[in-house]
Protein backbone atom coordinates (compact mmCIF):
# COMPACT_ATOMS: atom_id res chain seq x y z
CA UNK A 1 0.00 0.00 0.00
CA UNK A 2 1.48 3.33 -1.11
CA UNK A 3 -0.80 5.58 0.97
CA UNK A 4 -1.79 5.02 4.60
CA UNK A 5 -5.36 6.24 5.06
CA UNK A 6 -6.43 8.20 8.14
CA UNK A 7 -10.18 8.89 8.23
CA UNK A 8 -11.75 9.56 11.63
CA UNK A 9 -15.19 10.30 10.14
CA UNK A 10 -15.78 6.98 8.40
CA UNK A 11 -17.38 5.47 11.51
CA UNK A 12 -19.77 8.43 11.81
CA UNK A 13 -20.72 8.04 8.14
CA UNK A 14 -21.54 4.36 8.65
CA UNK A 15 -23.69 5.18 11.67
CA UNK A 16 -25.49 7.84 9.63
CA UNK A 17 -26.17 5.38 6.79
CA UNK A 18 -27.51 2.82 9.27
CA UNK A 19 -29.77 5.42 10.88
CA UNK A 20 -31.07 6.61 7.51
CA UNK A 21 -31.78 3.01 6.45
CA UNK A 22 -33.86 2.45 9.59
CA UNK A 23 -35.66 5.76 9.06
CA UNK A 24 -36.36 4.85 5.40
CA UNK A 25 -37.95 1.51 6.25
CA UNK A 26 -40.04 3.07 9.04
CA UNK A 27 -41.26 5.78 6.66
CA UNK A 28 -42.19 3.19 4.05
CA UNK A 29 -43.97 1.13 6.71
CA UNK A 30 -46.11 4.11 7.70
CA UNK A 31 -46.58 5.14 4.03
CA UNK A 32 -44.66 8.40 4.52
CA UNK A 33 -43.26 8.48 0.99
CA UNK A 34 -41.96 12.06 1.14
CA UNK A 35 -39.95 11.36 4.28
CA UNK A 36 -38.71 8.11 2.72
CA UNK A 37 -37.58 9.99 -0.41
CA UNK A 38 -35.70 12.56 1.67
CA UNK A 39 -34.04 9.79 3.67
CA UNK A 40 -33.10 7.96 0.45
CA UNK A 41 -31.62 11.14 -1.06
CA UNK A 42 -29.54 11.89 2.03
CA UNK A 43 -28.44 8.25 2.19
CA UNK A 44 -27.40 8.36 -1.46
CA UNK A 45 -25.32 11.52 -0.88
CA UNK A 46 -23.71 10.06 2.26
CA UNK A 47 -23.08 6.76 0.46
CA UNK A 48 -21.40 8.46 -2.49
CA UNK A 49 -19.24 10.45 -0.11
CA UNK A 50 -18.31 7.29 1.79
CA UNK A 51 -17.39 5.49 -1.45
CA UNK A 52 -15.32 8.48 -2.63
CA UNK A 53 -13.45 8.75 0.66
CA UNK A 54 -12.84 4.98 0.73
CA UNK A 55 -11.29 4.86 -2.77
CA UNK A 56 -9.73 8.28 -3.40
CA UNK A 57 -5.95 8.12 -3.70
CA UNK A 58 -5.78 4.34 -4.19
CA UNK A 59 -4.36 4.76 -7.70
CA UNK A 60 -2.51 8.00 -7.09
CA UNK A 61 1.24 7.44 -7.49
CA UNK A 62 4.33 9.57 -7.00
CA UNK A 63 7.01 9.17 -9.66
CA UNK A 64 9.66 8.41 -7.04
CA UNK A 65 12.98 8.68 -8.90
CA UNK A 66 16.23 8.93 -6.96
CA UNK A 67 17.87 12.32 -7.47
CA UNK A 68 20.34 14.55 -5.66
CA UNK A 69 20.68 18.23 -6.49
CA UNK A 70 23.58 20.32 -5.27
CA UNK A 71 23.59 24.02 -4.48
CA UNK A 72 25.50 26.61 -2.50
CA UNK A 73 24.16 28.50 0.49
CA UNK A 74 21.93 31.21 -0.98
CA UNK A 75 21.56 29.32 -4.26
CA UNK A 76 18.20 28.32 -5.71
CA UNK A 77 16.77 24.92 -6.54
CA UNK A 78 13.40 23.17 -6.24
CA UNK A 79 11.58 20.07 -5.06
CA UNK A 80 9.99 18.48 -8.12
CA UNK A 81 7.14 16.07 -7.30
CA UNK A 82 5.39 14.37 -10.23
CA UNK A 83 2.08 12.57 -9.56
CA UNK A 84 0.15 10.22 -11.83
CA UNK A 85 -3.52 9.60 -11.02
CA UNK A 86 -5.42 6.70 -12.60
CA UNK A 87 -8.15 6.68 -10.00
CA UNK A 88 -10.74 9.09 -8.62
CA UNK A 89 -9.97 12.80 -9.02
CA UNK A 90 -8.65 14.78 -6.06
CA UNK A 91 -10.41 18.15 -5.79
CA UNK A 92 -9.35 20.99 -3.50
CA UNK A 93 -6.72 18.97 -1.63
CA UNK A 94 -3.74 20.17 0.37
CA UNK A 95 -0.32 18.55 -0.04
CA UNK A 96 1.76 18.84 3.13
CA UNK A 97 5.51 18.07 3.16
CA UNK A 98 8.23 18.15 5.80
CA UNK A 99 11.96 18.58 5.08
CA UNK A 100 15.14 19.69 6.87
CA UNK A 101 15.84 23.40 7.05
CA UNK A 102 19.09 23.11 5.08
CA UNK A 103 16.84 24.62 2.41
CA UNK A 104 13.92 27.01 2.90
CA UNK A 105 10.94 27.60 0.59
CA UNK A 106 10.80 30.90 -1.21
CA UNK A 107 8.09 33.08 0.31
CA UNK A 108 7.11 34.45 3.72
CA UNK A 109 4.84 31.58 4.87
CA UNK A 110 7.13 29.16 6.70
CA UNK A 111 6.30 26.89 9.64
CA UNK A 112 9.43 25.59 11.35
CA UNK A 113 9.50 22.84 13.99
CA UNK A 114 13.07 22.43 15.23
CA UNK A 115 15.12 21.60 12.15
CA UNK A 116 12.06 20.59 10.07
CA UNK A 117 10.12 22.88 7.76
CA UNK A 118 6.41 22.24 7.17
CA UNK A 119 4.85 23.49 3.93
CA UNK A 120 1.31 23.30 2.50
CA UNK A 121 0.72 23.29 -1.26
CA UNK A 122 -2.70 23.32 -3.02
CA UNK A 123 -3.31 20.03 -4.81
CA UNK A 124 -5.91 19.17 -7.46
CA UNK A 125 -5.60 16.38 -10.01
CA UNK A 126 -8.18 14.76 -12.27
CA UNK A 127 -8.63 11.22 -13.52
CA UNK A 128 -5.83 9.97 -15.84
CA UNK A 129 -3.85 13.16 -15.31
CA UNK A 130 -0.19 13.86 -14.52
CA UNK A 131 0.59 16.74 -12.18
CA UNK A 132 4.04 18.25 -11.57
CA UNK A 133 4.35 20.14 -8.28
CA UNK A 134 7.38 22.45 -8.31
CA UNK A 135 8.40 23.97 -4.96
CA UNK A 136 11.23 26.56 -5.28
CA UNK A 137 13.69 26.58 -2.37
CA UNK A 138 16.82 28.47 -1.39
CA UNK A 139 19.93 27.07 0.27
CA UNK A 140 19.85 28.06 3.95
CA UNK A 141 22.80 26.29 5.57
CA UNK A 142 25.29 23.49 4.97
CA UNK A 143 23.68 20.08 5.08
CA UNK A 144 21.54 17.44 3.41
CA UNK A 145 17.79 18.06 3.04
CA UNK A 146 15.41 15.15 2.47
CA UNK A 147 11.64 15.01 2.21
CA UNK A 148 11.00 13.31 5.54
CA UNK A 149 7.22 13.01 5.27
CA UNK A 150 4.39 13.79 2.87
CA UNK A 151 0.62 13.87 3.47
CA UNK A 152 -2.32 14.62 1.22
CA UNK A 153 -5.43 16.09 2.87
CA UNK A 154 -8.54 15.43 0.74
CA UNK A 155 -11.76 17.21 1.87
CA UNK A 156 -15.09 15.43 1.85
CA UNK A 157 -17.09 16.43 -1.24
CA UNK A 158 -20.24 16.98 0.87
CA UNK A 159 -20.18 18.41 4.34
CA UNK A 160 -17.25 18.90 6.69
CA UNK A 161 -14.35 16.58 7.33
CA UNK A 162 -11.46 15.21 5.33
CA UNK A 163 -9.33 12.12 4.79
CA UNK A 164 -5.55 12.24 5.26
CA UNK A 165 -3.37 10.09 2.99
CA UNK A 166 0.15 9.54 4.34
CA UNK A 167 2.80 8.53 1.79
CA UNK A 168 4.47 5.37 3.08
CA UNK A 169 7.64 4.78 0.92
CA UNK A 170 10.80 6.80 1.37
CA UNK A 171 10.96 9.79 -0.95
CA UNK A 172 14.24 9.56 -2.86
CA UNK A 173 14.84 13.25 -3.59
CA UNK A 174 17.70 15.05 -1.83
CA UNK A 175 19.07 18.59 -1.87
CA UNK A 176 22.68 18.98 -0.80
CA UNK A 177 23.85 22.42 0.32
CA UNK A 178 27.62 22.90 0.08
CA UNK A 179 29.60 24.82 2.74
CA UNK A 180 30.25 28.50 2.26
CA UNK A 181 33.41 29.09 0.25
CA UNK A 182 35.64 31.90 1.41
CA UNK A 183 38.96 33.25 0.24
CA UNK A 184 41.60 31.30 2.11
CA UNK A 185 45.27 31.23 1.19
CA UNK A 186 47.83 28.84 2.59
CA UNK A 187 51.49 28.29 1.80
CA UNK A 188 52.49 25.28 -0.25
CA UNK A 189 55.67 24.37 -2.08
CA UNK A 190 56.17 21.54 -4.61
CA UNK A 191 58.85 18.91 -4.13
CA UNK A 192 61.75 18.92 -6.55
CA UNK A 193 62.73 15.42 -5.42
CA UNK A 194 59.52 13.63 -6.55
CA UNK A 195 58.05 13.45 -10.07
CA UNK A 196 54.55 14.80 -10.51
CA UNK A 197 52.37 17.14 -12.56
CA UNK A 198 53.21 20.54 -11.06
CA UNK A 199 55.16 22.73 -13.53
CA UNK A 200 58.31 24.01 -11.89
CA UNK A 201 61.67 25.33 -13.13
CA UNK A 202 64.89 23.64 -11.95
CA UNK A 203 63.16 20.34 -11.20
CA UNK A 204 65.00 17.01 -11.47
CA UNK A 205 62.19 15.48 -13.55
CA UNK A 206 60.89 16.08 -17.07
CA UNK A 207 57.44 15.34 -18.44
CA UNK A 208 57.95 13.19 -21.54
CA UNK A 209 54.45 14.03 -22.75
CA UNK A 210 55.06 17.79 -22.75
CA UNK A 211 57.86 18.63 -25.24
CA UNK A 212 58.23 22.40 -25.48
CA UNK A 213 61.04 22.73 -28.05
CA UNK A 214 64.51 21.64 -29.07
CA UNK A 215 68.14 22.62 -28.44
CA UNK A 216 71.53 21.66 -29.80
CA UNK A 217 72.74 18.18 -28.91
CA UNK A 218 75.48 17.77 -26.30
CA UNK A 219 77.41 14.52 -25.64
CA UNK A 220 75.73 13.99 -22.25
CA UNK A 221 72.21 13.85 -23.76
CA UNK A 222 70.41 10.53 -23.97
CA UNK A 223 70.11 8.94 -27.41
CA UNK A 224 66.33 8.57 -26.87
CA UNK A 225 65.83 12.34 -26.56
CA UNK A 226 67.10 13.19 -30.06
CA UNK A 227 64.47 14.89 -32.24
CA UNK A 228 65.14 13.21 -35.59
CA UNK A 229 62.86 15.36 -37.75
CA UNK A 230 64.33 18.58 -36.40
CA UNK A 231 67.84 17.16 -36.77
CA UNK A 232 67.22 16.30 -40.44
CA UNK A 233 65.73 19.73 -41.10
CA UNK A 234 68.62 21.66 -39.47
CA UNK A 235 71.36 19.21 -40.57
CA UNK A 236 72.58 18.92 -36.96
CA UNK A 237 71.52 16.83 -33.98
CA UNK A 238 68.72 18.39 -31.94
CA UNK A 239 67.61 17.29 -28.46
CA UNK A 240 64.01 17.49 -27.22
CA UNK A 241 63.31 19.91 -24.39
CA UNK A 242 60.53 18.87 -21.98
CA UNK A 243 58.45 20.68 -19.39
CA UNK A 244 60.03 20.29 -15.96
CA UNK A 245 57.59 18.99 -13.37
CA UNK A 246 57.56 18.42 -9.63
CA UNK A 247 55.31 16.69 -7.14
CA UNK A 248 52.71 18.58 -5.14
CA UNK A 249 50.05 16.65 -3.26
CA UNK A 250 48.38 17.54 0.01
CA UNK A 251 46.66 15.62 2.80
CA UNK A 252 44.21 17.50 5.03
CA UNK A 253 43.70 15.59 8.30
CA UNK A 254 40.85 17.23 10.22
CA UNK A 255 40.02 16.68 13.88
CA UNK A 256 36.35 17.36 14.71
CA UNK A 257 36.23 15.43 18.01
CA UNK A 258 35.93 17.12 21.38
CA UNK A 259 36.07 14.22 23.87
CA UNK A 260 32.84 12.31 23.07
CA UNK A 261 31.19 14.97 20.90
CA UNK A 262 32.04 17.20 17.97
CA UNK A 263 33.82 20.52 18.33
CA UNK A 264 31.51 23.48 19.05
CA UNK A 265 32.80 25.47 16.06
CA UNK A 266 32.27 22.65 13.56
CA UNK A 267 30.68 24.89 10.93
CA UNK A 268 33.56 27.36 10.91
CA UNK A 269 36.09 24.54 10.62
CA UNK A 270 34.24 22.91 7.72
CA UNK A 271 34.01 26.22 5.88
CA UNK A 272 37.75 26.66 6.38
CA UNK A 273 38.54 23.23 4.91
CA UNK A 274 36.14 23.85 2.01
CA UNK A 275 37.99 27.08 1.23
CA UNK A 276 41.34 25.27 1.16
CA UNK A 277 39.85 22.64 -1.14
CA UNK A 278 38.59 25.37 -3.45
CA UNK A 279 42.12 26.82 -3.56
CA UNK A 280 43.57 23.41 -4.46
CA UNK A 281 40.95 23.01 -7.18
CA UNK A 282 41.77 26.38 -8.73
CA UNK A 283 45.53 25.74 -8.56
CA UNK A 284 45.25 22.18 -9.92
CA UNK A 285 46.84 20.61 -6.82
CA UNK A 286 46.00 16.97 -5.96
CA UNK A 287 44.73 16.53 -2.40
CA UNK A 288 43.28 13.97 0.00
CA UNK A 289 40.98 14.47 2.98
CA UNK A 290 40.61 12.53 6.24
CA UNK A 291 38.11 13.36 9.02
CA UNK A 292 37.82 11.45 12.30
CA UNK A 293 34.11 10.69 11.92
CA UNK A 294 33.40 6.97 12.06
CA UNK A 295 32.49 5.30 8.79
CA UNK A 296 32.24 1.83 7.29
CA UNK A 297 34.53 0.42 4.64
CA UNK A 298 38.27 0.07 4.19
CA UNK A 299 38.90 3.13 6.30
CA UNK A 300 37.05 3.31 9.66
CA UNK A 301 36.69 7.08 9.22
CA UNK A 302 35.72 9.49 6.47
CA UNK A 303 38.50 9.40 3.90
CA UNK A 304 38.83 10.73 0.36
CA UNK A 305 41.75 9.37 -1.64
CA UNK A 306 44.11 11.70 -3.49
CA UNK A 307 42.73 13.28 -6.64
CA UNK A 308 42.16 16.53 -8.45
CA UNK A 309 39.75 18.21 -10.82
CA UNK A 310 36.01 18.98 -10.63
CA UNK A 311 34.96 15.44 -9.68
CA UNK A 312 37.36 15.38 -6.73
CA UNK A 313 36.08 18.80 -5.67
CA UNK A 314 32.48 17.59 -5.81
CA UNK A 315 33.24 14.48 -3.73
CA UNK A 316 35.14 16.52 -1.14
CA UNK A 317 32.38 19.12 -0.79
CA UNK A 318 29.76 16.38 -0.55
CA UNK A 319 31.72 14.73 2.26
CA UNK A 320 31.91 18.03 4.13
CA UNK A 321 28.23 18.78 3.48
CA UNK A 322 26.83 15.59 5.04
CA UNK A 323 28.93 15.87 8.22
CA UNK A 324 26.77 16.47 11.26
CA UNK A 325 27.25 17.19 14.95
CA UNK A 326 25.26 14.01 15.62
CA UNK A 327 27.82 11.74 13.94
CA UNK A 328 30.01 9.46 16.03
CA UNK A 329 33.67 10.47 16.19
CA UNK A 330 36.90 8.61 16.89
CA UNK A 331 40.05 9.85 18.68
CA UNK A 332 42.32 11.90 16.45
CA UNK A 333 45.44 9.88 17.40
CA UNK A 334 43.64 6.67 16.36
CA UNK A 335 42.94 8.10 12.92
CA UNK A 336 46.55 9.26 12.53
CA UNK A 337 47.81 5.83 13.57
CA UNK A 338 45.66 4.18 10.90
CA UNK A 339 46.87 6.64 8.26
CA UNK A 340 50.47 6.06 9.34
CA UNK A 341 50.17 2.35 8.58
CA UNK A 342 47.86 2.22 5.56
CA UNK A 343 48.74 5.17 3.30
CA UNK A 344 51.87 6.76 1.86
CA UNK A 345 52.05 10.31 3.10
CA UNK A 346 52.01 12.96 0.34
CA UNK A 347 54.61 15.67 0.06
CA UNK A 348 52.61 18.10 2.25
CA UNK A 349 50.38 17.20 5.21
CA UNK A 350 48.18 19.62 7.14
CA UNK A 351 47.04 18.57 10.61
CA UNK A 352 43.98 20.61 11.52
CA UNK A 353 43.07 20.52 15.20
CA UNK A 354 42.39 22.81 18.13
CA UNK A 355 45.35 21.45 20.10
CA UNK A 356 48.26 19.14 19.31
CA UNK A 357 49.35 17.92 22.74
CA UNK A 358 48.05 14.39 22.22
CA UNK A 359 49.69 13.81 18.83
CA UNK A 360 53.25 14.94 19.41
CA UNK A 361 54.65 11.52 18.54
CA UNK A 362 53.02 11.73 15.11
CA UNK A 363 54.22 15.31 14.67
CA UNK A 364 57.80 14.24 15.38
CA UNK A 365 57.57 11.11 13.18
CA UNK A 366 55.77 12.67 10.21
CA UNK A 367 58.04 15.72 10.16
CA UNK A 368 60.77 13.43 8.76
CA UNK A 369 58.51 11.92 6.09
CA UNK A 370 56.45 14.85 4.85
CA UNK A 371 56.32 18.63 4.80
CA UNK A 372 54.21 18.89 7.95
CA UNK A 373 52.07 21.93 8.69
CA UNK A 374 49.96 22.49 11.81
CA UNK A 375 46.71 24.35 11.29
CA UNK A 376 45.08 25.31 14.59
CA UNK A 377 41.60 26.76 14.73
CA UNK A 378 41.03 30.00 12.86
CA UNK A 379 40.29 31.49 16.26
CA UNK A 380 43.89 30.70 17.16
CA UNK A 381 47.14 31.95 15.78
CA UNK A 382 46.64 30.79 12.23
CA UNK A 383 48.98 28.73 10.07
CA UNK A 384 52.45 27.94 11.20
Amino acid sequence: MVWIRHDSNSTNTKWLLSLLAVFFFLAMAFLQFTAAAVAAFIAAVAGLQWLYVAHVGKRLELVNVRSRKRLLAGGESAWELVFENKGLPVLGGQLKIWFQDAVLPQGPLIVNYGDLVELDVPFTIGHNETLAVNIPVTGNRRGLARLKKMELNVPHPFGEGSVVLEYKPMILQELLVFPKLRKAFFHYSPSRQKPGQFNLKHSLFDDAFQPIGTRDYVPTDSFNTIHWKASARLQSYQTKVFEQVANESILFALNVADHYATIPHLEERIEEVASYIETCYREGIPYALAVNIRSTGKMPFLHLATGEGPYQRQKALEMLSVMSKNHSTMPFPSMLAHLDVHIELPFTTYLMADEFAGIQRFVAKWATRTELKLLPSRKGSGLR
Side-chain angles (χ1 to χ4, degrees):
M1 181 182 294
V2 177
W3 299 93
I4 301 176
R5 192 176 304 271
H6 304 281
D7 184 14
S8 59
N9 296 321
S10 59
T11 303
N12 297 334
T13 303
K14 292 180 181 179
W15 276 104
L16 177 62
L17 288 174
S18 301
L19 182 62
L20 288 173
V22 172
F23 183 80
F24 174 79
F25 286 114
L26 289 176
M28 292 296 292
F30 290 98
L31 303 178
Q32 299 294 322
F33 299 111
T34 303
V38 172
F41 175 77
I42 297 176
V45 172
L48 290 174
Q49 175 171 282
W50 180 76
L51 289 173
Y52 175 80
V53 170
H55 293 86
V56 67
K58 284 189 174 181
R59 304 189 65 185
L60 177 65
E61 297 181 356
L62 171 69
V63 182
N64 199 8
V65 179
R66 183 179 298 276
S67 68
R68 171 179 283 188
K69 299 180 181 178
R70 303 164 182 85
L71 66 156
L72 294 172
E76 297 182 354
S77 186
W79 298 113
E80 296 180 354
L81 304 174
V82 180
F83 295 88
E84 294 179 351
N85 184 29
K86 299 180 181 179
L88 295 176
V90 178
L91 305 175
Q94 285 285 333
L95 184 67
K96 182 174 293 188
I97 59 175
W98 288 263
F99 53 88
Q100 286 100 338
D101 62 352
V103 296
L104 294 178
Q106 299 178 8
L109 300 178
I110 299 176
V111 180
N112 199 333
Y113 299 101
D115 61 348
L116 288 181
V117 175
E118 178 184 323
L119 185 66
D120 291 338
V121 181
F123 188 92
T124 297
I125 185 172
H127 176 65
N128 281 336
E129 282 189 3
T130 300
L131 176 65
V133 179
N134 191 284
I135 305 171
V137 294
T138 303
N140 177 44
R141 61 172 178 83
R142 178 196 65 85
L144 182 64
R146 292 190 178 100
L147 289 170
K148 302 293 290 184
K149 186 178 179 182
M150 180 172 65
E151 291 181 352
L152 178 59
N153 191 305
V154 183
H156 290 173
F158 309 106
E160 298 181 355
S162 62
V163 58
V164 177
L165 306 177
E166 180 183 351
Y167 191 72
K168 184 178 180 180
M170 177 185 294
I171 304 174
L172 302 180
Q173 290 194 41
E174 298 176 345
L175 292 177
L176 188 64
V177 182
F178 286 161
K180 294 180 180 178
L181 302 179
R182 302 173 180 174
K183 292 183 178 180
F185 301 98
F186 59 98
H187 175 73
Y188 62 91
S189 57
S191 169
R192 295 171 172 82
Q193 285 74 39
K194 294 183 180 181
Q197 299 178 349
F198 197 81
N199 294 337
L200 184 73
K201 294 182 179 179
H202 312 299
S203 174
L204 299 178
F205 300 93
D206 296 332
D207 188 350
F209 296 98
Q210 295 189 53
I212 58 175
T214 60
R215 59 173 173 79
D216 291 335
Y217 175 82
V218 295
T220 56
D221 290 339
S222 171
F223 185 76
N224 295 330
T225 61
I226 296 178
H227 196 302
W228 296 107
K229 290 184 178 181
S231 300
R233 184 172 61 253
L234 298 176
Q235 297 298 312
S236 64
Y237 287 119
Q238 297 292 309
T239 301
K240 297 177 183 177
V241 177
F242 300 98
E243 186 75 56
Q244 290 181 306
V245 293
N247 175 272
E248 174 60 309
S249 56
I250 298 176
L251 168 64
F252 295 102
L254 174 61
N255 179 22
V256 297
D258 183 11
H259 295 91
Y260 297 100
T262 56
I263 55 179
H265 51 281
L266 177 64
E267 295 299 323
E268 291 80 0
R269 201 57 160 165
I270 289 177
E271 291 177 6
E272 181 183 3
V273 178
S275 301
Y276 294 150
I277 288 173
E278 186 69 11
T279 301
C280 291
Y281 167 70
R282 295 182 184 278
E283 297 292 337
I285 304 172
Y287 58 90
L289 177 63
V291 186
N292 59 332
I293 289 180
R294 295 189 182 274
S295 178
T296 58
K298 184 178 180 180
M299 296 290 190
F301 49 86
L302 293 180
H303 178 260
L304 179 64
T306 303
E308 61 178 318
Y311 185 59
Q312 178 79 355
R313 173 179 178 264
Q314 176 181 313
K315 291 194 296 183
L317 292 179
E318 285 185 358
M319 178 188 294
L320 295 175
S321 298
V322 300
M323 288 169 49
S324 168
K325 61 182 180 181
N326 299 321
H327 284 159
S328 176
T329 61
M330 67 184 302
F332 195 45
S334 300
M335 185 184 77
L336 297 183
H338 196 279
L339 291 173
D340 186 56
V341 174
H342 291 87
I343 71 167
E344 180 182 355
L345 292 178
F347 176 69
T348 306
T349 300
Y350 290 91
L351 298 182
M352 308 178 68
D354 290 348
E355 57 89 22
F356 303 94
I359 59 170
Q360 287 302 318
R361 63 187 183 96
F362 293 103
V363 172
K365 183 178 181 181
W366 287 13
T368 63
R369 298 168 52 191
T370 180
E371 186 74 17
L372 187 64
K373 308 286 185 179
L374 304 183
L375 274 173
S377 173
R378 292 174 62 176
K379 298 179 181 180
S381 59
L383 173 64
R384 66 175 188 269

